Amino acid sequence: MLQPPLEIDLLRSFVAVAEGESFTSAGTALGASQSAMSVRIRKLEERLGRRLLDRTPRSIALTPFGEGFLGDARRVLAAHDDAVLRARTHIERPNFALAVSDHAAGACLPQVLMTLAARHPEIQFLATVGASVEIYEAFTSGQYDAVVVREESGNNKGRRLFRDKMIWAAAKGFAWDRSTPLPLVSLAAPCGVRATAITALAAQDIAWREVFVGTGVAAVQAAVSAGLGIAALDSRNLPHDCRHVKSSLGLPPLPATEMLLHHRVPGRRGNEIATAIATAFRESAA
């Protein structure tokens, strides 16, 4: 059977009377008259169907039931007041979907996100890392608020963030027998850096074989550090235990990398966020 609701004001009045052992002091604390407090207690008792207080002209005492119910009333009030406090102090932070090319992210993405959070604490940045081609296509279809991608055909109208030199990287102790195909370490297609490396090798008739295909730059860096083969990387992504091997192995030159920012947030607000993203990436690339 559905029970009648217990109003918060009635519970608060009961706790105040029980703790102060006085209708007068409880009424003063809650901004109500003595008679109003008495009416509230009587109404609560009617809702419960049990007596909460024993009243005499000189004193007020809890009944055995009232003593047990006092704890219940306090717990209900604590939960109510906590919920109200959370609702009043909660600040809804709008989400901002940012997608970053794996080569642009490298090892610097955590620092970039920390910088953005510090400069725009009112925004919740949601980051995705992927291939430039894929995330730019998703951006044009409305999936992201902003993307940081390599400059490629069709996406060259964004804000230029930084320029980096692309190099051939290998472990310091790695040796390649030129009579065998070059052992290539790369990201899975579609990857602009992979395509650039393959095109450069083909231009000089250098045979190659795939020895490792990674799903992220970190995986490629690990494979190169382990001595599995040679990878095309942005110079800022060269692992500390690896070296640039173009001159020593006679590999073809690679073009520089241009990183661009595209965003769809209009007006002054969009420009502020775009500037913050650009600054964070430039600082991390410096």
Side-chain angles (χ1 to χ4, degrees), residues 9-105:
D9 286 346
L10 302 184
L11 293 175
R12 202 178 301 281
S13 297
F14 166 64
V15 171
V17 171
E19 291 179 344
E21 298 182 349
S22 167
F23 284 98
T24 302
S25 60
T28 300
L30 298 180
S33 66
Q34 178 181 353
S35 60
M37 295 299 294
S38 180
V39 169
R40 292 179 187 178
I41 299 302
R42 189 178 303 112
K43 185 180 295 186
L44 180 59
E45 289 176 327
E46 290 173 355
R47 294 280 177 87
L48 294 170
R50 303 292 295 272
R51 196 156 49 86
L52 295 169
L53 300 172
D54 282 329
R55 307 167 179 84
T56 69
R58 294 181 177 274
S59 66
I60 296 173
L62 289 168
T63 65
F65 175 78
E67 290 179 357
F69 184 74
L70 179 60
D72 293 333
R74 285 170 172 161
R75 284 190 290 273
V76 171
L77 290 175
H80 170 271
D81 294 348
D82 185 53
V84 170
L85 178 62
R86 288 199 306 272
R88 289 179 176 174
T89 58
H90 177 69
I91 300 176
E92 191 69 36
R93 294 196 296 167
N95 291 334
F96 187 94
L98 172 66
V100 183
S101 159
D102 209 334
H103 286 278

Side-chain angles (χ1 to χ4, degrees), residues 74-286:
R74 285 170 172 161
R75 284 190 290 273
V76 171
L77 290 175
H80 170 271
D81 294 348
D82 185 53
V84 170
L85 178 62
R86 288 199 306 272
R88 289 179 176 174
T89 58
H90 177 69
I91 300 176
E92 191 69 36
R93 294 196 296 167
N95 291 334
F96 187 94
L98 172 66
V100 183
S101 159
D102 209 334
H103 286 278
C108 74
L109 187 57
Q111 182 59 48
V112 167
L113 294 177
M114 287 174 60
T115 300
L116 290 176
R119 291 179 177 171
H120 286 282
E122 77 283 3
I123 296 174
Q124 178 69 49
F125 288 93
L126 306 178
T128 299
V129 176
S132 289
V133 173
E134 293 178 338
I135 63 177
Y136 184 72
E137 288 179 355
F139 171 75
T140 59
S141 67
Q143 185 171 342
Y144 300 112
D145 297 307
V147 293
V148 175
V149 295
R150 295 179 66 252
E151 180 181 20
E152 295 173 333
S153 60
N155 74 353
N156 58 359
K157 295 184 179 181
R159 179 185 296 198
R160 297 188 180 275
L161 297 185
F162 59 88
R163 180 184 178 91
D164 198 8
K165 181 181 180 181
M166 197 183 302
I167 63 172
W168 295 102
K172 291 179 180 179
F174 179 81
W176 170 43
D177 181 354
R178 290 293 300 266
S179 66
T180 63
L182 180 140
L184 183 66
V185 175
S186 74
L187 290 179
C191 171
V193 171
R194 170 192 169 89
T196 297
I198 292 174
T199 300
L201 292 173
Q204 292 195 8
D205 294 322
I206 297 176
W208 58 275
R209 62 188 175 89
E210 233 163 26
V211 295
F212 182 89
V213 177
T215 56
V217 169
V220 170
Q221 291 171 319
V224 172
S225 295
L228 298 185
I230 299 172
L233 288 171
D234 296 314
S235 61
R236 67 194 182 91
N237 289 329
L238 179 68
H240 67 87
D241 55 356
C242 295
R243 60 193 173 99
H244 178 198
V245 296
K246 172 194 165 185
S247 57
S248 60
L249 297 183
L251 295 173
L254 295 169
T257 298
E258 291 275 2
M259 292 297 177
L260 306 180
L261 168 66
H262 301 264
H263 76 94
R264 66 175 71 261
V265 182
R268 179 179 177 181
R269 183 62 169 165
N271 287 330
E272 288 178 352
I273 298 174
T275 298
I277 294 172
T279 301
F281 270 96
R282 286 169 183 157
E283 289 177 352
S284 69

